[in-house]
Amino acid sequence: MFELENQCFVDTSEELSYPPVALSLGEKLLKSKQGDQLVPIPVGTYGNISVVHSLPKTKKTFFISLLASVYLSGKNNFGGGLKGHRNGRCLLHIDTEQGIWHCQRTFKRCLQMNKDVEQGCYHTYALRTLSPKTRIEFIEHLLHFKSNIGVLLLDGIADLCNDVNNIEESNLVTQKLMEWSANYNVHICCVIHSNYGSDKMTGHLGSSLMKKVETEIQLEKNTVNKDWVTVKCKRSRGFAFETFSFQVNELGLPEVVDNYYDPLKG
């Protein structure tokens, strides 16, 4: 218990610093007695969890590819104002839904969006054939033995449960995310579906995640341009990033529409 006490103790005398950011969009000027500070607005910080949700077929996987490409490169011509702050750390990208061919296409997409990315720092796995229990065990194994992981992209979190409406199972998965994010100081971004006719995440798992995540990100089909998907920060523990939209271009690559980039010219 003494060890647990030391582990959980929070020293209120320590000076607070801005949380270490993994992914950001935009900046915010903070004013204090120590002076003004321009800080990035987080999409996600290290040691925390975010969730992306929308109805099926709303290009969630393309959006995750966009985040992956930005984190790997720091900033690229597809991500608009999105920035990655990896500082030499690596990316673990896991897909639980798609078959090998589609997974490989998804993972390669991230590399196609970046010219000079250290490919040895991009770890990609397809877990469709595993049971929920084995998926959890395997992800824990990867976080423990893969060195220097900064971000875990988990598409989709519901496949770590047999039943997303089972309270015990859902709470167990959410607790695992909290443990992993804290113990390995990684940012975990997970993907889940929204309920039909609602903007709420599916099942008890969705309700559990909503209470624990740092950032809740909602994707919606754009009401003006049918080819665009709008990205909203629905909830945040900190500053909320501004709403933006992305599209999938003629080469099958996601790009923020406010910063159009012609790869043939670039």
Side-chain angles (χ1 to χ4, degrees):
M1 282 297 175
F2 288 111
E3 183 179 348
L4 190 60
E5 180 183 352
N6 291 331
Q7 178 184 335
C8 298
F9 175 70
V10 177
D11 187 353
T12 55
S13 66
E14 288 186 3
E15 184 177 346
L16 286 174
S17 58
Y18 197 71
V21 176
L23 286 156
S24 70
L25 177 61
E27 294 178 319
K28 179 80 172 180
L29 184 65
L30 295 184
K31 294 181 177 291
S32 68
K33 293 180 180 179
Q34 290 74 33
D36 296 349
Q37 183 184 11
L38 192 64
V39 297
I41 297 174
V43 174
T45 61
Y46 291 109
N48 259 309
I49 310 162
S50 62
V51 63
V52 176
H53 68 97
S54 71
L55 293 174
K57 310 307 177 187
T58 318
K59 297 183 170 63
K60 290 185 292 295
T61 297
F62 280 98
F63 178 66
I64 292 301
S65 294
L66 185 62
L67 293 183
S69 75
V70 169
Y71 186 71
L72 288 170
S73 63
K75 183 175 175 61
N76 62 28
N77 291 309
F78 295 86
L82 287 165
K83 291 184 179 180
H85 307 263
R86 73 182 183 105
N87 300 319
R89 300 183 72 179
C90 298
L91 174 62
L92 179 57
H93 191 168
I94 289 174
D95 189 294
T96 64
E97 297 180 351
Q98 301 183 106
I100 291 295
W101 187 89
H102 287 93
C103 281
Q104 186 183 44
R105 184 175 65 170
T106 296
F107 300 145
K108 280 191 171 184
R109 183 187 301 142
C110 304
L111 300 176
Q112 291 170 346
M113 295 164 73
N114 298 311
K115 292 181 180 178
D116 303 310
V117 170
E118 181 188 350
Q119 294 194 26
C121 215
Y122 181 37
H123 307 294
T124 55
Y125 295 90
L127 306 189
R128 183 180 184 180
T129 59
L130 305 182
S131 69
K133 181 176 181 292
T134 305
R135 289 180 185 125
I136 291 174
E137 293 171 349
F138 183 67
I139 293 169
E140 199 157 51
H141 164 84
L142 291 173
L143 287 170
H144 186 73
F145 288 102
K146 291 288 182 186
S147 61
N148 209 22
I149 298 297
V151 167
L152 164 60
L153 298 177
L154 184 49
D155 186 4
I157 187 68
D159 290 318
L160 302 193
C161 289
N162 287 297
D163 180 2
V164 295
N165 288 308
N166 182 289
I167 293 177
E168 290 185 4
E169 271 197 290
S170 299
N171 289 344
L172 172 64
V173 169
T174 303
Q175 180 61 36
K176 275 296 179 184
L177 295 182
M178 293 193 293
E179 288 177 15
W180 293 339
S181 60
N183 293 343
Y184 299 101
N185 192 31
V186 299
H187 181 76
I188 301 176
C189 179
C190 51
V191 177
I192 192 170
H193 291 309
S194 300
N195 290 319
Y196 283 103
S198 168
D199 61 355
K200 294 183 179 180
M201 294 178 277
T202 187
H204 183 83
L205 178 60
S207 300
S208 178
L209 285 171
M210 183 185 70
K211 299 169 187 174
K212 305 300 183 184
V213 297
E214 172 189 33
T215 312
E216 181 183 344
I217 302 168
Q218 185 176 13
L219 308 187
E220 296 178 341
K221 291 185 177 180
N222 191 282
T223 56
V224 176
N225 190 319
K226 66 178 182 179
D227 295 325
W228 294 4
V229 175
T230 297
V231 183
K232 297 181 178 180
C233 181
K234 190 176 179 184
R235 293 183 181 87
S236 175
R237 295 191 189 276
F239 303 115
F241 61 81
E242 291 188 1
T243 299
F244 66 97
S245 296
F246 73 93
Q247 66 180 357
V248 177
N249 68 19
E250 66 277 8
L251 298 180
L253 302 175
E255 58 186 7
V256 174
V257 294
D258 290 335
N259 190 25
Y260 183 73
Y261 169 63
D262 185 348
L264 299 179
K265 294 180 181 178

